[in-house]
Amino acid sequence: MTNLIQKYNIPGPRYTSYPTVPFWDKEGIAQQDWERTVKKSFDESNDVEGISLYIHLPFCESLCTFCACHKKITKRHEVEQPYIETVLKEWDLYCDLLVERPKIREIHLGGGTPTFFSSENLRKLINGIFKRADKFETFDFSYEGHPNHTSEDQLQTLYDLGSRRNSFGIQDYDPIVQKAIHRVQSFEQVKRVNDLSRKIGYESISHDLIFGLPFQTEESIRNTIKNTIELKPDRIAYYSYAHVPWIKGVGQRGFDDNDLPKDSEKRHLYELGKQLFFDNGYVEIGMDHFALPSDSLHKAMESKKLHRNFMGYTAGKTELMIGLGMSSISDSWYAFAQNEKTIEDYTEKVNKGIIPIFRGHLLTEQDLIIRKHILNLMCNLETEWKIGLDNKIKNEIVERLSEIIDDGLIEVSDTKITVKDEGRMFVRNICMAFDLRLLENKPETRVFSMTI
Ligand SMILES: C[S@@+](CC[C@H](N)C(=O)[O-])C[C@H]1O[C@@H](n2cnc3c(N)ncnc32)[C@H](O)[C@@H]1O
Ligand code: SF4
């Protein structure tokens, strides 16, 4: 296994979209094309399955030095209100475009730290959204919280607004690791928000852990997982640390490359975690998630309804996902678009009455086909050839997969390709054989984190 890890541990995308962001059309997407595909997608799907909203709430009080998210560090809570007002103005721009009232099936508040915002401002935000929309028959509202900055009042307010699912960033419990990543957070602080969530009635609680952080050892990971299991979250995200200092140069500091576990050590930490989760009744979902069999994510996997988007794995899929807030990415299935990345540029466009995108990609027929294959592989670990590829392209993909086939990681038949259990950890490498955009434009500089 160690040899295979060495062989396949190369820079590669995490496939939260296809094409992946660095391969979006350099020309971007015309504003009218974006608006046209949003309308098309809305008309096709609003009555049938509803739409999803992702709302990016970027503020954090303190910088964690491993963090690759789009965030803004501040302790000035005066920023909350104007930001919420801008997000609601942006929502108005979409509602004016869509004419009919949207039916919302999913809302996710991501960050940054959504629980940076006061209960009152969170209430203003969600009530503001529903001034112009209704809930779909099934409604799933989730958010990310920082254990050090989440009060009982916030948990109760979000529950009263309809949320039944939350997730907390944990990362690691070891004091040495916590110091290096500038994120000191005790077990008691996590237990407090976990117990309060249970008491209030949340149905699904998720904990984010990361392996591959500086100074992690087998022992420290065992202890982190022991603490995690004690609180029995319904889901666990066990992320591979994405070391991307060339993108997040200013943020990823406080440790250097020598402090990070080496490739095989890092993979060992993953294997160890996985085994401990299995021993405690968790099931592996797709690439880096685990869930109790009672959780909706596991049920979605069983019924092949698992979906993957910019937030990672989700239990539901809608054709249209509108991303509100600075840096948010939206998906109309036929196109992607990303909002302006700074609050200033984002606010300026919204105030001018413009949907504040700054780049995007209109998918070609071929992109749409490859997108389906990659989603199938990432979510169901198999894909069927009957999804529209011509024979030449299919044969080239099989050719590119030949080493992976020889290494016994996948099975290829006339009808489909199936990832074997041994191949699960290499699923990003398997998807890369389908990624025509990557193959056509091999990046000259480093763009992606390592696949393993
Ligand atoms: C927006 S944060 C979660 C909410 C809150 N800000 C917090 O930290 O508790 C999203 C999650 O992304 C993950 N993450 C951030 N940077 C990462 C990186 N470089 N590699 C892997 N995972 C990362 C962390 O697990 C983090 O909990
Ligand atoms: S990990 Fe969470 S709290 Fe820390 S900087 Fe990133 S978004 Fe903010």
Side-chain angles (χ1 to χ4, degrees):
M1 189 51 89
T2 310
N3 286 345
L4 289 180
I5 291 168
Q6 273 163 1
K7 178 166 165 187
Y8 291 115
N9 193 18
I10 54 171
R14 299 175 54 78
Y15 292 111
T16 51
S17 72
Y18 182 81
T20 55
V21 179
F23 295 101
W24 286 1
D25 202 329
K26 295 279 172 285
E27 304 288 305
I29 185 169
Q31 198 84 15
Q32 64 269 33
D33 280 337
W34 171 241
E35 294 177 7
R36 178 178 54 77
T37 67
V38 169
K39 275 202 227 165
K40 174 174 158 70
S41 186
F42 181 80
D43 292 343
E44 286 169 358
S45 65
N46 188 44
D47 288 336
V48 191
E49 56 176 28
I51 71 160
S52 303
L53 281 190
Y54 170 78
I55 308 180
H56 193 70
L57 301 176
F59 305 111
C60 305
E61 285 206 358
S62 145
L63 176 70
C64 311
T65 52
F66 65 89
C67 182
C69 304
H70 288 287
K71 71 267 169 195
K72 191 148 173 94
I73 310 298
T74 180
K75 288 199 164 47
R76 291 177 52 248
H77 283 260
E78 307 88 271
V79 294
E80 291 180 28
Q81 204 186 329
Y83 187 79
I84 298 274
E85 280 164 12
T86 313
V87 168
L88 289 175
K89 270 191 210 159
E90 186 191 3
W91 177 230
D92 272 338
L93 296 174
Y94 273 106
C95 292
D96 292 346
L97 176 77
L98 300 174
V99 188
E100 248 182 68
R101 274 175 87 82
K103 296 179 183 154
I104 301 180
R105 186 195 186 102
E106 255 189 73
I107 298 188
H108 182 75
L109 308 183
T113 301
T115 53
F116 175 96
F117 286 76
S118 68
S119 299
E120 192 195 337
N121 281 327
L122 290 167
R123 199 176 301 115
K124 266 192 201 149
L125 173 67
I126 301 300
N127 289 340
I129 295 287
F130 281 107
K131 270 197 191 127
R132 307 229 21 204
D134 300 310
K135 285 183 185 159
F136 192 71
E137 295 115 66
T138 52
F139 175 62
D140 182 42
F141 169 18
S142 55
Y143 62 91
E144 295 163 21
H146 189 313
N148 294 3
H149 303 284
T150 304
S151 67
E152 180 166 5
D153 191 55
Q154 285 169 312
L155 292 170
Q156 186 67 54
T157 301
L158 288 161
Y159 183 88
D160 294 343
L161 289 166
S163 176
R164 296 293 176 268
R165 205 155 66 70
N166 59 20
S167 73
F168 295 106
I170 313 298
Q171 330 309 348
D172 193 292
Y173 284 105
D174 188 80
I176 297 171
V177 179
Q178 289 196 355
K179 186 161 175 267
I181 60 173
H182 197 244
R183 187 185 170 105
V184 176
Q185 160 185 298
S186 68
F187 176 71
E188 285 65 36
Q189 277 164 315
V190 179
K191 184 168 170 6
R192 182 185 65 85
V193 289
N194 202 80
D195 291 354
L196 282 170
S197 301
R198 292 267 181 244
K199 189 182 89 182
I200 290 169
Y202 282 89
E203 289 158 12
S204 176
I205 303 175
S206 182
H207 286 194
D208 295 345
L209 303 178
I210 304 183
F211 65 94
L213 288 172
F215 304 113
Q216 274 179 339
T217 60
E218 176 170 337
E219 203 193 327
S220 73
I221 281 284
R222 273 186 192 280
N223 192 47
T224 288
I225 292 178
K226 184 175 118 319
N227 285 346
T228 305
I229 301 289
E230 198 177 318
L231 300 178
K232 263 265 175 265
D234 303 272
R235 298 182 187 179
I236 297 168
Y238 194 42
Y239 293 123
S240 168
Y241 170 51
H243 191 51
V244 285
W246 57 93
I247 304 173
K248 301 279 164 184
V250 194
Q252 293 197 324
R253 59 177 185 225
F255 52 87
D256 64 38
D257 290 10
N258 295 326
D259 304 325
L260 299 171
K262 304 284 160 293
D263 293 355
S264 58
E265 288 162 6
K266 183 174 178 187
R267 204 63 222 180
H268 175 64
L269 298 179
Y270 176 71
E271 289 299 316
L272 175 69
K274 178 168 148 173
Q275 192 54 50
L276 293 170
F277 299 138
F278 286 170
D279 293 347
N280 286 281
Y282 288 85
V283 181
E284 190 171 21
I285 312 284
M287 198 177 63
D288 42 20
H289 283 56
F290 295 83
L292 291 175
S294 52
D295 192 84
S296 57
L297 204 58
H298 177 249
K299 291 181 185 153
M301 183 180 77
E302 291 281 278
S303 53
K304 295 204 186 272
K305 294 224 167 77
L306 200 63
H307 183 58
R308 186 166 170 83
N309 59 25
F310 292 98
M311 288 157 275
Y313 287 104
T314 65
K317 172 191 167 296
T318 57
E319 191 175 312
L320 178 60
M321 186 185 76
I322 296 178
L324 303 177
M326 69 155 238
S327 80
S328 279
I329 299 180
S330 302
D331 175 1
S332 66
W333 183 255
Y334 304 104
F336 297 112
Q338 182 169 27
N339 278 355
E340 291 288 352
K341 281 192 188 172
T342 67
I343 297 197
E344 295 73 24
D345 293 344
Y346 164 71
T347 309
E348 192 185 324
K349 273 203 180 158
V350 173
N351 284 340
K352 282 188 184 148
I354 303 168
I355 290 182
I357 59 169
F358 85 103
R359 64 172 167 181
H361 181 90
L362 193 60
L363 278 84
T364 61
E365 283 301 315
Q366 192 177 61
D367 288 336
L368 283 165
I369 292 167
I370 304 276
R371 182 177 185 186
K372 281 193 193 142
H373 283 293
I374 288 187
L375 263 176
N376 286 344
L377 285 165
M378 293 297 289
C379 297
N380 304 327
L381 298 167
E382 63 176 28
T383 191
E384 295 192 10
W385 292 122
K386 69 176 181 216
I387 307 172
L389 283 172
D390 74 36
N391 255 340
K392 179 172 170 289
I393 293 179
K394 179 192 154 192
N395 291 338
E396 285 166 1
I397 291 173
V398 177
E399 177 65 34
R400 283 193 288 276
L401 287 169
S402 58
E403 275 196 55
I404 294 183
I405 300 170
D406 291 348
D407 286 327
L409 305 176
I410 53 173
E411 247 163 40
V412 179
S413 72
D414 287 345
T415 53
K416 63 179 179 180
I417 133 169
T418 311
V419 181
K420 295 196 203 169
D421 257 358
E422 302 85 317
R424 248 177 195 273
M425 74 167 82
F426 305 104
V427 65
R428 288 163 71 180
N429 303 72
I430 297 162
C431 290
M432 282 165 81
F434 285 78
D435 189 339
L436 299 186
R437 296 262 173 195
L438 175 72
L439 289 155
E440 283 157 13
N441 304 285
K442 277 248 155 58
E444 281 161 23
T445 53
R446 186 75 191 276
V447 202
F448 299 112
S449 60
M450 304 299 271
T451 51
I452 313 286

